[in-house]
Amino acid sequence: MLKLYRKALELHGVDPKRVEHGTIVDTVGIIEKGRSFEVVFYETDDYIYVFEIKNFSDKGVIDQVFIRKKLFSALYSKPLKVFVVTNYIEREVKEKLEKEGVEIIASYVVD
């Protein structure tokens, strides 16, 4: 899906070719010690870019984003830039995430 939104990501300073899919393990017990989480991210000298990629983003995406923000913040010293890349997002979810500094790239906002 990142390929679909390639131009939008580039406008936000993201290099879609560098984005990786992997896992992050909670080694310090932020959520649950030893638990692993799937993540889509990439790292530069200045930032760690973290992505949540969904077809439809409802209230569940809020928890997923906050978990990843907490984990990356605890395990890395670099500042984060967090993105939700989605086809559809609920307006309430979009507004809440934007207040938290999350960049939203979406095709449709659903009321």
PDB file of all heavy atoms in Angstrom, residues 1-19 42 49 51 53 83-87 104-107:
ATOM      1  N   MET A   1       0.817  -1.183   0.000  1.00  0.00           N
ATOM      2  CA  MET A   1       0.000   0.000   0.000  1.00  0.00           C
ATOM      3  C   MET A   1       0.874   1.265   0.000  1.00  0.00           C
ATOM      4  O   MET A   1       0.443   2.308  -0.464  1.00  0.00           O
ATOM      5  CB  MET A   1      -0.938   0.001   1.193  1.00  0.00           C
ATOM      6  CG  MET A   1      -1.931   1.120   1.122  1.00  0.00           C
ATOM      7  SD  MET A   1      -3.560   0.807   1.748  1.00  0.00           S
ATOM      8  CE  MET A   1      -3.306   0.984   3.470  1.00  0.00           C
ATOM      9  N   LEU A   2       2.089   1.154   0.520  1.00  0.00           N
ATOM     10  CA  LEU A   2       2.959   2.324   0.493  1.00  0.00           C
ATOM     11  C   LEU A   2       3.231   2.790  -0.936  1.00  0.00           C
ATOM     12  O   LEU A   2       3.398   3.982  -1.179  1.00  0.00           O
ATOM     13  CB  LEU A   2       4.285   2.022   1.194  1.00  0.00           C
ATOM     14  CG  LEU A   2       4.237   1.954   2.717  1.00  0.00           C
ATOM     15  CD1 LEU A   2       5.598   1.569   3.268  1.00  0.00           C
ATOM     16  CD2 LEU A   2       3.791   3.263   3.309  1.00  0.00           C
ATOM     17  N   LYS A   3       3.253   1.857  -1.876  1.00  0.00           N
ATOM     18  CA  LYS A   3       3.481   2.230  -3.268  1.00  0.00           C
ATOM     19  C   LYS A   3       2.347   3.107  -3.794  1.00  0.00           C
ATOM     20  O   LYS A   3       2.571   4.009  -4.584  1.00  0.00           O
ATOM     21  CB  LYS A   3       3.641   0.985  -4.138  1.00  0.00           C
ATOM     22  CG  LYS A   3       4.939   0.269  -3.893  1.00  0.00           C
ATOM     23  CD  LYS A   3       5.086  -0.954  -4.771  1.00  0.00           C
ATOM     24  CE  LYS A   3       6.366  -1.673  -4.425  1.00  0.00           C
ATOM     25  NZ  LYS A   3       6.577  -2.853  -5.237  1.00  0.00           N
ATOM     26  N   LEU A   4       1.120   2.828  -3.347  1.00  0.00           N
ATOM     27  CA  LEU A   4      -0.029   3.637  -3.733  1.00  0.00           C
ATOM     28  C   LEU A   4       0.135   5.095  -3.304  1.00  0.00           C
ATOM     29  O   LEU A   4      -0.275   6.011  -4.003  1.00  0.00           O
ATOM     30  CB  LEU A   4      -1.301   3.098  -3.058  1.00  0.00           C
ATOM     31  CG  LEU A   4      -2.164   2.134  -3.821  1.00  0.00           C
ATOM     32  CD1 LEU A   4      -3.248   1.586  -2.915  1.00  0.00           C
ATOM     33  CD2 LEU A   4      -2.765   2.784  -5.033  1.00  0.00           C
ATOM     34  N   TYR A   5       0.709   5.279  -2.146  1.00  0.00           N
ATOM     35  CA  TYR A   5       0.827   6.607  -1.553  1.00  0.00           C
ATOM     36  C   TYR A   5       2.251   7.157  -1.654  1.00  0.00           C
ATOM     37  O   TYR A   5       2.628   8.045  -0.907  1.00  0.00           O
ATOM     38  CB  TYR A   5       0.368   6.553  -0.095  1.00  0.00           C
ATOM     39  CG  TYR A   5      -1.103   6.260   0.023  1.00  0.00           C
ATOM     40  CD1 TYR A   5      -1.552   4.974   0.298  1.00  0.00           C
ATOM     41  CD2 TYR A   5      -2.041   7.254  -0.168  1.00  0.00           C
ATOM     42  CE1 TYR A   5      -2.898   4.697   0.386  1.00  0.00           C
ATOM     43  CE2 TYR A   5      -3.395   6.987  -0.074  1.00  0.00           C
ATOM     44  CZ  TYR A   5      -3.818   5.703   0.207  1.00  0.00           C
ATOM     45  OH  TYR A   5      -5.159   5.439   0.291  1.00  0.00           O
ATOM     46  N   ARG A   6       3.019   6.657  -2.582  1.00  0.00           N
ATOM     47  CA  ARG A   6       4.417   7.038  -2.749  1.00  0.00           C
ATOM     48  C   ARG A   6       4.608   8.563  -2.834  1.00  0.00           C
ATOM     49  O   ARG A   6       5.423   9.143  -2.125  1.00  0.00           O
ATOM     50  CB  ARG A   6       4.981   6.358  -3.983  1.00  0.00           C
ATOM     51  CG  ARG A   6       6.364   6.788  -4.334  1.00  0.00           C
ATOM     52  CD  ARG A   6       6.843   6.149  -5.639  1.00  0.00           C
ATOM     53  NE  ARG A   6       8.257   6.002  -5.527  1.00  0.00           N
ATOM     54  CZ  ARG A   6       8.894   4.878  -5.260  1.00  0.00           C
ATOM     55  NH1 ARG A   6       8.227   3.770  -5.129  1.00  0.00           N
ATOM     56  NH2 ARG A   6      10.186   4.849  -5.147  1.00  0.00           N
ATOM     57  N   LYS A   7       3.861   9.217  -3.705  1.00  0.00           N
ATOM     58  CA  LYS A   7       4.015  10.666  -3.888  1.00  0.00           C
ATOM     59  C   LYS A   7       3.660  11.430  -2.615  1.00  0.00           C
ATOM     60  O   LYS A   7       4.340  12.386  -2.245  1.00  0.00           O
ATOM     61  CB  LYS A   7       3.164  11.164  -5.060  1.00  0.00           C
ATOM     62  CG  LYS A   7       3.678  10.738  -6.399  1.00  0.00           C
ATOM     63  CD  LYS A   7       5.001  11.403  -6.704  1.00  0.00           C
ATOM     64  CE  LYS A   7       5.501  10.973  -8.066  1.00  0.00           C
ATOM     65  NZ  LYS A   7       6.918  11.234  -8.245  1.00  0.00           N
ATOM     66  N   ALA A   8       2.592  11.021  -1.952  1.00  0.00           N
ATOM     67  CA  ALA A   8       2.196  11.686  -0.705  1.00  0.00           C
ATOM     68  C   ALA A   8       3.290  11.530   0.352  1.00  0.00           C
ATOM     69  O   ALA A   8       3.606  12.477   1.077  1.00  0.00           O
ATOM     70  CB  ALA A   8       0.874  11.124  -0.194  1.00  0.00           C
ATOM     71  N   LEU A   9       3.872  10.347   0.445  1.00  0.00           N
ATOM     72  CA  LEU A   9       4.950  10.125   1.403  1.00  0.00           C
ATOM     73  C   LEU A   9       6.160  10.998   1.072  1.00  0.00           C
ATOM     74  O   LEU A   9       6.765  11.591   1.964  1.00  0.00           O
ATOM     75  CB  LEU A   9       5.349   8.653   1.422  1.00  0.00           C
ATOM     76  CG  LEU A   9       4.336   7.708   2.065  1.00  0.00           C
ATOM     77  CD1 LEU A   9       4.646   6.266   1.715  1.00  0.00           C
ATOM     78  CD2 LEU A   9       4.318   7.899   3.571  1.00  0.00           C
ATOM     79  N   GLU A  10       6.498  11.072  -0.210  1.00  0.00           N
ATOM     80  CA  GLU A  10       7.632  11.899  -0.619  1.00  0.00           C
ATOM     81  C   GLU A  10       7.408  13.364  -0.266  1.00  0.00           C
ATOM     82  O   GLU A  10       8.348  14.061   0.128  1.00  0.00           O
ATOM     83  CB  GLU A  10       7.902  11.721  -2.112  1.00  0.00           C
ATOM     84  CG  GLU A  10       8.475  10.353  -2.441  1.00  0.00           C
ATOM     85  CD  GLU A  10       8.564  10.052  -3.933  1.00  0.00           C
ATOM     86  OE1 GLU A  10       8.003  10.826  -4.744  1.00  0.00           O
ATOM     87  OE2 GLU A  10       9.183   9.026  -4.283  1.00  0.00           O
ATOM     88  N   LEU A  11       6.167  13.834  -0.371  1.00  0.00           N
ATOM     89  CA  LEU A  11       5.854  15.213   0.009  1.00  0.00           C
ATOM     90  C   LEU A  11       6.081  15.460   1.500  1.00  0.00           C
ATOM     91  O   LEU A  11       6.313  16.588   1.927  1.00  0.00           O
ATOM     92  CB  LEU A  11       4.409  15.562  -0.366  1.00  0.00           C
ATOM     93  CG  LEU A  11       4.131  15.696  -1.859  1.00  0.00           C
ATOM     94  CD1 LEU A  11       2.627  15.854  -2.107  1.00  0.00           C
ATOM     95  CD2 LEU A  11       4.894  16.873  -2.456  1.00  0.00           C
ATOM     96  N   HIS A  12       6.015  14.383   2.293  1.00  0.00           N
ATOM     97  CA  HIS A  12       6.259  14.469   3.736  1.00  0.00           C
ATOM     98  C   HIS A  12       7.718  14.181   4.081  1.00  0.00           C
ATOM     99  O   HIS A  12       8.059  14.018   5.254  1.00  0.00           O
ATOM    100  CB  HIS A  12       5.356  13.490   4.486  1.00  0.00           C
ATOM    101  CG  HIS A  12       3.932  13.927   4.553  1.00  0.00           C
ATOM    102  ND1 HIS A  12       3.479  14.824   5.482  1.00  0.00           N
ATOM    103  CD2 HIS A  12       2.862  13.592   3.803  1.00  0.00           C
ATOM    104  CE1 HIS A  12       2.181  15.021   5.310  1.00  0.00           C
ATOM    105  NE2 HIS A  12       1.787  14.294   4.284  1.00  0.00           N
ATOM    106  N   GLY A  13       8.572  14.088   3.069  1.00  0.00           N
ATOM    107  CA  GLY A  13       9.989  13.855   3.320  1.00  0.00           C
ATOM    108  C   GLY A  13      10.363  12.412   3.558  1.00  0.00           C
ATOM    109  O   GLY A  13      11.453  12.122   4.058  1.00  0.00           O
ATOM    110  N   VAL A  14       9.491  11.486   3.216  1.00  0.00           N
ATOM    111  CA  VAL A  14       9.734  10.060   3.427  1.00  0.00           C
ATOM    112  C   VAL A  14      10.292   9.447   2.151  1.00  0.00           C
ATOM    113  O   VAL A  14       9.809   9.723   1.059  1.00  0.00           O
ATOM    114  CB  VAL A  14       8.421   9.337   3.823  1.00  0.00           C
ATOM    115  CG1 VAL A  14       8.619   7.831   3.897  1.00  0.00           C
ATOM    116  CG2 VAL A  14       7.903   9.883   5.138  1.00  0.00           C
ATOM    117  N   ASP A  15      11.294   8.597   2.295  1.00  0.00           N
ATOM    118  CA  ASP A  15      11.832   7.844   1.171  1.00  0.00           C
ATOM    119  C   ASP A  15      11.218   6.445   1.210  1.00  0.00           C
ATOM    120  O   ASP A  15      11.676   5.588   1.966  1.00  0.00           O
ATOM    121  CB  ASP A  15      13.348   7.757   1.269  1.00  0.00           C
ATOM    122  CG  ASP A  15      13.981   7.009   0.114  1.00  0.00           C
ATOM    123  OD1 ASP A  15      13.243   6.480  -0.749  1.00  0.00           O
ATOM    124  OD2 ASP A  15      15.226   6.940   0.072  1.00  0.00           O
ATOM    125  N   PRO A  16      10.164   6.192   0.428  1.00  0.00           N
ATOM    126  CA  PRO A  16       9.466   4.905   0.490  1.00  0.00           C
ATOM    127  C   PRO A  16      10.351   3.694   0.209  1.00  0.00           C
ATOM    128  O   PRO A  16      10.063   2.600   0.689  1.00  0.00           O
ATOM    129  CB  PRO A  16       8.382   5.027  -0.590  1.00  0.00           C
ATOM    130  CG  PRO A  16       8.204   6.490  -0.788  1.00  0.00           C
ATOM    131  CD  PRO A  16       9.544   7.096  -0.527  1.00  0.00           C
ATOM    132  N   LYS A  17      11.444   3.876  -0.499  1.00  0.00           N
ATOM    133  CA  LYS A  17      12.347   2.759  -0.800  1.00  0.00           C
ATOM    134  C   LYS A  17      13.083   2.258   0.437  1.00  0.00           C
ATOM    135  O   LYS A  17      13.535   1.116   0.471  1.00  0.00           O
ATOM    136  CB  LYS A  17      13.370   3.177  -1.857  1.00  0.00           C
ATOM    137  CG  LYS A  17      12.761   3.452  -3.210  1.00  0.00           C
ATOM    138  CD  LYS A  17      13.810   3.922  -4.184  1.00  0.00           C
ATOM    139  CE  LYS A  17      13.172   4.294  -5.509  1.00  0.00           C
ATOM    140  NZ  LYS A  17      14.117   4.920  -6.418  1.00  0.00           N
ATOM    141  N   ARG A  18      13.200   3.094   1.450  1.00  0.00           N
ATOM    142  CA  ARG A  18      13.950   2.722   2.660  1.00  0.00           C
ATOM    143  C   ARG A  18      13.077   2.080   3.742  1.00  0.00           C
ATOM    144  O   ARG A  18      13.588   1.598   4.747  1.00  0.00           O
ATOM    145  CB  ARG A  18      14.647   3.947   3.229  1.00  0.00           C
ATOM    146  CG  ARG A  18      15.697   4.481   2.252  1.00  0.00           C
ATOM    147  CD  ARG A  18      16.510   5.581   2.833  1.00  0.00           C
ATOM    148  NE  ARG A  18      17.194   5.139   4.045  1.00  0.00           N
ATOM    149  CZ  ARG A  18      17.713   5.971   4.926  1.00  0.00           C
ATOM    150  NH1 ARG A  18      17.618   7.269   4.747  1.00  0.00           N
ATOM    151  NH2 ARG A  18      18.321   5.517   6.001  1.00  0.00           N
ATOM    152  N   VAL A  19      11.772   2.102   3.548  1.00  0.00           N
ATOM    153  CA  VAL A  19      10.853   1.585   4.561  1.00  0.00           C
ATOM    154  C   VAL A  19      10.996   0.062   4.673  1.00  0.00           C
ATOM    155  O   VAL A  19      11.023  -0.643   3.675  1.00  0.00           O
ATOM    156  CB  VAL A  19       9.399   1.969   4.221  1.00  0.00           C
ATOM    157  CG1 VAL A  19       8.428   1.364   5.208  1.00  0.00           C
ATOM    158  CG2 VAL A  19       9.256   3.492   4.195  1.00  0.00           C
ATOM    159  N   TYR A  42      11.650   3.115   9.225  1.00  0.00           N
ATOM    160  CA  TYR A  42      13.031   3.259   8.788  1.00  0.00           C
ATOM    161  C   TYR A  42      13.693   4.349   9.603  1.00  0.00           C
ATOM    162  O   TYR A  42      13.039   5.193  10.206  1.00  0.00           O
ATOM    163  CB  TYR A  42      13.176   3.442   7.283  1.00  0.00           C
ATOM    164  CG  TYR A  42      12.989   4.831   6.715  1.00  0.00           C
ATOM    165  CD1 TYR A  42      14.072   5.696   6.558  1.00  0.00           C
ATOM    166  CD2 TYR A  42      11.753   5.256   6.270  1.00  0.00           C
ATOM    167  CE1 TYR A  42      13.906   6.949   5.991  1.00  0.00           C
ATOM    168  CE2 TYR A  42      11.586   6.498   5.700  1.00  0.00           C
ATOM    169  CZ  TYR A  42      12.666   7.343   5.572  1.00  0.00           C
ATOM    170  OH  TYR A  42      12.496   8.569   5.012  1.00  0.00           O
ATOM    171  N   TYR A  49      11.255   6.967  11.470  1.00  0.00           N
ATOM    172  CA  TYR A  49       9.936   7.068  10.855  1.00  0.00           C
ATOM    173  C   TYR A  49       9.186   5.773  11.137  1.00  0.00           C
ATOM    174  O   TYR A  49       9.691   4.690  10.839  1.00  0.00           O
ATOM    175  CB  TYR A  49      10.058   7.264   9.340  1.00  0.00           C
ATOM    176  CG  TYR A  49      10.668   8.578   8.945  1.00  0.00           C
ATOM    177  CD1 TYR A  49      12.051   8.759   8.934  1.00  0.00           C
ATOM    178  CD2 TYR A  49       9.864   9.644   8.573  1.00  0.00           C
ATOM    179  CE1 TYR A  49      12.612   9.969   8.560  1.00  0.00           C
ATOM    180  CE2 TYR A  49      10.425  10.861   8.190  1.00  0.00           C
ATOM    181  CZ  TYR A  49      11.796  11.014   8.197  1.00  0.00           C
ATOM    182  OH  TYR A  49      12.352  12.208   7.825  1.00  0.00           O
ATOM    183  N   PHE A  51       5.423   3.740  10.752  1.00  0.00           N
ATOM    184  CA  PHE A  51       4.212   3.737   9.947  1.00  0.00           C
ATOM    185  C   PHE A  51       3.223   2.701  10.458  1.00  0.00           C
ATOM    186  O   PHE A  51       3.610   1.586  10.820  1.00  0.00           O
ATOM    187  CB  PHE A  51       4.538   3.386   8.482  1.00  0.00           C
ATOM    188  CG  PHE A  51       5.555   4.289   7.878  1.00  0.00           C
ATOM    189  CD1 PHE A  51       6.902   4.000   7.981  1.00  0.00           C
ATOM    190  CD2 PHE A  51       5.175   5.449   7.232  1.00  0.00           C
ATOM    191  CE1 PHE A  51       7.862   4.831   7.436  1.00  0.00           C
ATOM    192  CE2 PHE A  51       6.123   6.295   6.676  1.00  0.00           C
ATOM    193  CZ  PHE A  51       7.468   5.984   6.787  1.00  0.00           C
ATOM    194  N   ILE A  53      -0.017   0.989   8.746  1.00  0.00           N
ATOM    195  CA  ILE A  53      -0.616   0.894   7.423  1.00  0.00           C
ATOM    196  C   ILE A  53      -1.894   0.081   7.524  1.00  0.00           C
ATOM    197  O   ILE A  53      -1.874  -1.067   7.978  1.00  0.00           O
ATOM    198  CB  ILE A  53       0.373   0.249   6.435  1.00  0.00           C
ATOM    199  CG1 ILE A  53       1.659   1.077   6.407  1.00  0.00           C
ATOM    200  CG2 ILE A  53      -0.245   0.140   5.046  1.00  0.00           C
ATOM    201  CD1 ILE A  53       2.810   0.410   5.739  1.00  0.00           C
ATOM    202  N   PHE A  83       3.408   8.040  11.154  1.00  0.00           N
ATOM    203  CA  PHE A  83       2.460   8.184  10.054  1.00  0.00           C
ATOM    204  C   PHE A  83       1.418   7.079  10.109  1.00  0.00           C
ATOM    205  O   PHE A  83       1.753   5.934  10.418  1.00  0.00           O
ATOM    206  CB  PHE A  83       3.168   8.060   8.695  1.00  0.00           C
ATOM    207  CG  PHE A  83       4.099   9.177   8.379  1.00  0.00           C
ATOM    208  CD1 PHE A  83       5.382   9.204   8.893  1.00  0.00           C
ATOM    209  CD2 PHE A  83       3.688  10.219   7.561  1.00  0.00           C
ATOM    210  CE1 PHE A  83       6.251  10.237   8.593  1.00  0.00           C
ATOM    211  CE2 PHE A  83       4.551  11.260   7.250  1.00  0.00           C
ATOM    212  CZ  PHE A  83       5.841  11.266   7.773  1.00  0.00           C
ATOM    213  N   VAL A  84       0.184   7.420   9.789  1.00  0.00           N
ATOM    214  CA  VAL A  84      -0.848   6.420   9.506  1.00  0.00           C
ATOM    215  C   VAL A  84      -1.149   6.568   8.020  1.00  0.00           C
ATOM    216  O   VAL A  84      -1.511   7.649   7.556  1.00  0.00           O
ATOM    217  CB  VAL A  84      -2.124   6.635  10.353  1.00  0.00           C
ATOM    218  CG1 VAL A  84      -3.241   5.716   9.875  1.00  0.00           C
ATOM    219  CG2 VAL A  84      -1.830   6.396  11.820  1.00  0.00           C
ATOM    220  N   VAL A  85      -0.949   5.475   7.287  1.00  0.00           N
ATOM    221  CA  VAL A  85      -1.211   5.440   5.852  1.00  0.00           C
ATOM    222  C   VAL A  85      -2.409   4.526   5.663  1.00  0.00           C
ATOM    223  O   VAL A  85      -2.354   3.338   6.019  1.00  0.00           O
ATOM    224  CB  VAL A  85       0.011   4.918   5.074  1.00  0.00           C
ATOM    225  CG1 VAL A  85      -0.270   4.910   3.579  1.00  0.00           C
ATOM    226  CG2 VAL A  85       1.250   5.757   5.387  1.00  0.00           C
ATOM    227  N   THR A  86      -3.498   5.066   5.135  1.00  0.00           N
ATOM    228  CA  THR A  86      -4.757   4.323   5.118  1.00  0.00           C
ATOM    229  C   THR A  86      -5.620   4.739   3.930  1.00  0.00           C
ATOM    230  O   THR A  86      -5.512   5.870   3.453  1.00  0.00           O
ATOM    231  CB  THR A  86      -5.504   4.554   6.445  1.00  0.00           C
ATOM    232  OG1 THR A  86      -6.676   3.762   6.492  1.00  0.00           O
ATOM    233  CG2 THR A  86      -5.859   6.005   6.659  1.00  0.00           C
ATOM    234  N   ASN A  87      -6.461   3.824   3.497  1.00  0.00           N
ATOM    235  CA  ASN A  87      -7.439   4.186   2.477  1.00  0.00           C
ATOM    236  C   ASN A  87      -8.582   4.981   3.093  1.00  0.00           C
ATOM    237  O   ASN A  87      -9.009   5.992   2.552  1.00  0.00           O
ATOM    238  CB  ASN A  87      -7.993   2.937   1.778  1.00  0.00           C
ATOM    239  CG  ASN A  87      -6.965   2.311   0.856  1.00  0.00           C
ATOM    240  OD1 ASN A  87      -6.157   2.994   0.235  1.00  0.00           O
ATOM    241  ND2 ASN A  87      -6.984   0.996   0.771  1.00  0.00           N
ATOM    242  N   ILE A 104      -1.281  11.954   8.935  1.00  0.00           N
ATOM    243  CA  ILE A 104      -2.271  11.072   8.331  1.00  0.00           C
ATOM    244  C   ILE A 104      -2.208  11.211   6.818  1.00  0.00           C
ATOM    245  O   ILE A 104      -2.280  12.317   6.288  1.00  0.00           O
ATOM    246  CB  ILE A 104      -3.703  11.419   8.806  1.00  0.00           C
ATOM    247  CG1 ILE A 104      -3.781  11.477  10.333  1.00  0.00           C
ATOM    248  CG2 ILE A 104      -4.718  10.449   8.211  1.00  0.00           C
ATOM    249  CD1 ILE A 104      -3.510  10.185  11.046  1.00  0.00           C
ATOM    250  N   ILE A 105      -2.068  10.080   6.137  1.00  0.00           N
ATOM    251  CA  ILE A 105      -2.134  10.039   4.683  1.00  0.00           C
ATOM    252  C   ILE A 105      -3.281   9.105   4.356  1.00  0.00           C
ATOM    253  O   ILE A 105      -3.199   7.898   4.611  1.00  0.00           O
ATOM    254  CB  ILE A 105      -0.808   9.550   4.070  1.00  0.00           C
ATOM    255  CG1 ILE A 105       0.318  10.531   4.419  1.00  0.00           C
ATOM    256  CG2 ILE A 105      -0.953   9.397   2.552  1.00  0.00           C
ATOM    257  CD1 ILE A 105       1.677  10.103   3.966  1.00  0.00           C
ATOM    258  N   ALA A 106      -4.373   9.665   3.829  1.00  0.00           N
ATOM    259  CA  ALA A 106      -5.586   8.887   3.610  1.00  0.00           C
ATOM    260  C   ALA A 106      -6.285   9.324   2.326  1.00  0.00           C
ATOM    261  O   ALA A 106      -6.160  10.480   1.916  1.00  0.00           O
ATOM    262  CB  ALA A 106      -6.542   9.060   4.791  1.00  0.00           C
ATOM    263  N   SER A 107      -7.046   8.398   1.768  1.00  0.00           N
ATOM    264  CA  SER A 107      -7.848   8.726   0.587  1.00  0.00           C
ATOM    265  C   SER A 107      -9.194   9.319   0.978  1.00  0.00           C
ATOM    266  O   SER A 107      -9.656  10.264   0.350  1.00  0.00           O
ATOM    267  CB  SER A 107      -8.085   7.475  -0.269  1.00  0.00           C
ATOM    268  OG  SER A 107      -6.870   7.052  -0.832  1.00  0.00           O
TER     269      SER A 107
END
